[in-house]
Amino acid sequence: MSLLDRHVGFVHALREAGLPVSLAEGLDAARALQVIDLAERESLRAAYASTLVKRPSHRPGFDTLFDLWFPASTTGLSGSRTEGPEGPGGSEGDPDALDLETAEVPQLRDRLAELLLGADGMNEFARAMVERFGRQTAGPGRQNWFSYSVLRALSPETLMARLLAEVLAGRERGGLAEKVARQRIGENTRRFEDAVSTDVRRRIAEDSGIERIARSAVRPPLEQLDFLRVTKADLARLRREVHPLARRLATRLTVKHRLGHRGRLDFRRTVRASLSSGGVPLTVFNKPRRPHRPELVILCDTSDSVASFAHFTLLLTYALREQFAKVRAFGFVDTVDEITRFFVPGADVAEAMTRLAAEADMVRFGRTNYGNAFERFAERYGDAVGPKTSLLILGDARSNYQRPALETLRRLSEEARHVYWLNPEPMSQWDTGDSLATAYGEVVPMHECRNVVQLAAFVEELA
Amino acid sequence: MWFASPADVRERLSAVDYLTDDSIATSVFLAGALGKPLLAEGPAGVGKTQLAKAVAAATGAQLVRLQCYEGLDEARALYEWNYKKQLLRIQAGNGEDWDATHDDIFTEEFLLERPLLRAIRSQTPTVLLIDETDKADVEVEGLLLEILSDYQVTIPELGTIAAVRRPYVVLTSNATRELSEALKRRCLYLYLEYPAPERERDIVLAQVPAIEAGLAEQLARTVATLRALELKKSPSIAETVDWAHTLLALGRTELDAETVGATLGVVLKHAADQTRARKELAL
């Protein structure tokens, strides 16, 4: 493949993965290739990144694809070639270097332990280990590559205890030193796992073509992640994203308020000002607009199936507290409890979530029951909903075939100024199984809300 | 040409005490080589503004800075006529006709040059730093787009002024709002993260030469641990350096739990963050 073909293919793959690469940006990248040293792989990566990737959330996908289209050119077994970030590492010029091809597993684990403490040569080592442990024959002349078999053979996570003992060297456990060491070793373990899976992808691409693997290898950027498919790690990243997102939204909202509809004519001021121009009102003054700040009541399904969605949305609304006159939150599984108290200003986010799950009284039998939850809510907290209130319901409308209590919901929605329902399920799955999406949707307008992009758009409409 | 290669960037910037990594060095080099503006985005305190200053210092260029804020307009960013002076000039006029006066009061003498115009008209190599672009209103982005695409300004009374030498442009943003796609397309993009512990250690050593390498290492690792907690405001590089100064002043040579507990206020400025750190790190 010539460089030009490779460049075109790579840009195309980026677009397929959802990065908005314009024609001009593609040309910029091509021009950048003319002025940098193409043999420097990390420079090449940085050149592409700075011309094509204009959002941090697109970077992980970019890196995965870059590693596929511009793979490192060693297997790691035969004399290691040094690479940009690794510096002179590996086994070159080292007389008692380990022969990675024949060494026993315990020795390999020793080497891995060194790497996890920050020695150089992680990438070469990962490649060599994939070569040794990652291959599985899939039939005559065909082979498959797996990262789990590499990680199982070396099991980096079981090295933690040993490494901690080594680093702390007799200092007390459980304190600051251990925390710092853990952080560092954990970070390096993740790097090793990434290096292994990158190399596995590279080998699969060699066998079966880049395009095929590229499609399945890239996870969508954070803001397009499906709420119902987030992993624990994603949730932590999402939580970190809440404050910046809230800040961005808040800025947008204030701009909107400033630009939108000027207030009513300030008659008195206009006439007074006209005196200086002989009674001709040259400048017209308007009264400042009263910002409309709705009271927000959130009624949210906190059962496991939609927990991450509920959590994220609650966090976001609380980060946006200033945009609303008052925010009250209620959680339910099959009965309702007020959870506003867990979100006092300045409270610790992660802790609020754990306490919420432990202390709030939202579960009687443990299976989601929308009908019962609505009825309990109406009788216990009915006064929370009034003519100034926007009521926001979060949930997948799956009620385990119980009574829907549509009447109660209709009464609530008549009391409130606005009612919205956000459903994290894709619209194609509404009404399947025990989903009552349409039935509820006839009473309360239901919006599909599967990712941060959709949620942000909705919040902007709401405030 | 501003720099010869990424390696050249690395060398010359570290000579003025700015330590780079691959992506910074390459982006800074490309911005000069392709003549495109560089947009540096990232959390507060990762050295975005410092980067522009370092480029200016390393290349011996003059630094022109435009600080953005809400309500910044063309008159503050580009140019303005000094109308008070013009009025005086008209009053002091000795009976010339209007045409002569008009030709006289719209000249160089009555023009107030603002940062953008100064950077464009400069005869010497210039680094134009447009700081905190995200704080400015959307209209300003339109103005920037216009200027950064052809590096020329039209002033009705004076005609079009084109740049003699293109300034090296660095825009910074804390991402408090999304900059427009059009502006991002026009720029090279550099996302600056908090530095890796090794790089931060080197930064501390460069900024606080009196500190021991071992302690600098401990500092960098501890700060990395703090940043991994979900804090409201993660410690910036400057705060890490402050911490190093503090430890020196207190004469500590070891960063144990007790020392961290006593000096936590230097790096964490929110009560909630401090409580969280104390709990997580068992201080």
Side-chain angles (χ1 to χ4, degrees), chain A residues 104-331:
Chain A
E104 295 294 313
V105 170
Q107 291 167 301
L108 291 175
R109 279 177 51 101
D110 289 353
R111 172 78 184 125
L112 178 58
E114 285 171 30
L115 289 170
L116 293 185
L117 287 179
D120 286 330
M122 171 97 69
N123 289 349
E124 285 91 344
F125 181 77
R127 282 195 285 271
M129 292 303 99
V130 173
E131 179 74 23
R132 273 194 61 176
F133 301 109
R135 187 196 320 250
Q136 294 192 4
T137 317
R142 288 192 16 249
Q143 52 195 2
N144 260 340
W145 298 94
F146 292 102
S147 46
Y148 76 86
S149 53
V150 180
L151 298 177
R152 204 179 43 204
L154 298 169
S155 85
E157 66 283 355
T158 54
L159 286 167
M160 181 65 97
R162 183 179 124 188
L163 288 172
L164 279 179
E166 216 170 294
V167 173
L168 296 177
R171 272 179 294 176
E172 38 105 34
R173 302 294 301 259
L176 172 72
E178 175 176 343
K179 190 84 191 175
V180 172
R182 248 179 213 285
Q183 158 80 17
R184 172 174 151 203
I185 297 162
E187 188 70 38
N188 285 334
T189 310
R190 261 195 307 282
R191 269 186 47 216
F192 177 70
E193 286 167 3
D194 280 347
V196 168
S197 39
T198 298
D199 197 55
V200 164
R201 278 196 298 266
R202 177 180 69 88
R203 287 164 198 271
I204 295 176
E206 274 177 9
D207 295 343
S208 57
I210 300 175
E211 283 90 351
R212 260 194 55 202
I213 176 97
R215 253 171 235 131
S216 57
V218 182
R219 307 204 51 193
L222 197 59
E223 69 261 20
Q224 289 167 22
L225 259 186
D226 206 317
F227 280 130
L228 298 181
R229 300 222 183 96
V230 294
T231 61
K232 243 182 126 147
D234 288 331
L235 201 55
R237 276 167 55 216
L238 275 176
R239 273 211 299 267
R240 252 170 240 181
E241 207 42 48
V242 164
H243 281 289
L245 178 67
R247 262 212 317 270
R248 279 204 296 272
L249 277 173
T251 338
R252 277 257 273 283
L253 294 175
T254 44
V255 167
K256 206 168 78 173
H257 285 170
R258 263 213 316 269
L259 295 177
H261 336 282
R262 282 178 315 196
R264 292 166 46 194
L265 177 73
D266 189 340
F267 186 75
R268 193 161 156 268
R269 223 177 134 194
T270 308
V271 170
R272 284 216 47 158
S274 74
L275 295 181
S276 62
S277 50
V280 183
L282 286 179
T283 25
V284 176
F285 291 94
N286 290 320
K287 284 191 170 135
R289 218 169 129 259
R290 292 254 163 277
H292 158 67
R293 296 200 310 167
E295 281 181 16
L296 189 60
V297 171
I298 309 173
L299 186 54
C300 110
D301 179 348
T302 50
S303 62
D304 289 344
S305 55
V306 291
S308 46
F309 163 66
H311 280 194
F312 185 76
T313 310
L314 278 176
L315 287 179
L316 185 65
T317 25
Y318 272 88
L320 281 168
R321 250 192 323 265
E322 298 78 43
Q323 304 295 324
F324 303 100
K326 198 156 99 190
V327 181
R328 287 180 77 180
F330 300 87

Side-chain angles (χ1 to χ4, degrees), chain A residues 2 12 26 29 52 68 86-87 103 135 186 200 203 223 231 263 271 279 293 298 335 339 352 383 394 401 407:
Chain A
S2 77
H12 183 74
L52 304 180
L68 282 174
E86 305 240 331
R135 187 196 320 250
V200 164
R203 287 164 198 271
E223 69 261 20
T231 61
V271 170
R293 296 200 310 167
I298 309 173
T335 182
I339 53 180
D383 55 350
L394 312 177
Y401 304 104
E407 260 323 298

Side-chain angles (χ1 to χ4, degrees), chain B residues 230-283:
Chain B
E230 288 175 37
L231 298 176
K232 281 200 173 113
K233 192 196 163 306
S234 293
S236 67
I237 299 180
E239 280 163 335
T240 312
V241 173
D242 283 346
W243 209 7
H245 281 301
T246 310
L247 294 181
L248 269 187
L250 295 173
R252 306 281 175 116
T253 51
E254 190 64 34
L255 194 62
D256 49 21
E258 187 257 330
T259 310
V260 173
T263 53
L264 203 55
V266 181
V267 278
L268 299 183
K269 312 278 166 81
H270 279 281
D273 284 353
Q274 290 196 16
T275 323
R276 181 167 178 101
R278 279 181 210 286
K279 202 185 84 191
E280 290 279 337
L281 305 180
L283 300 175

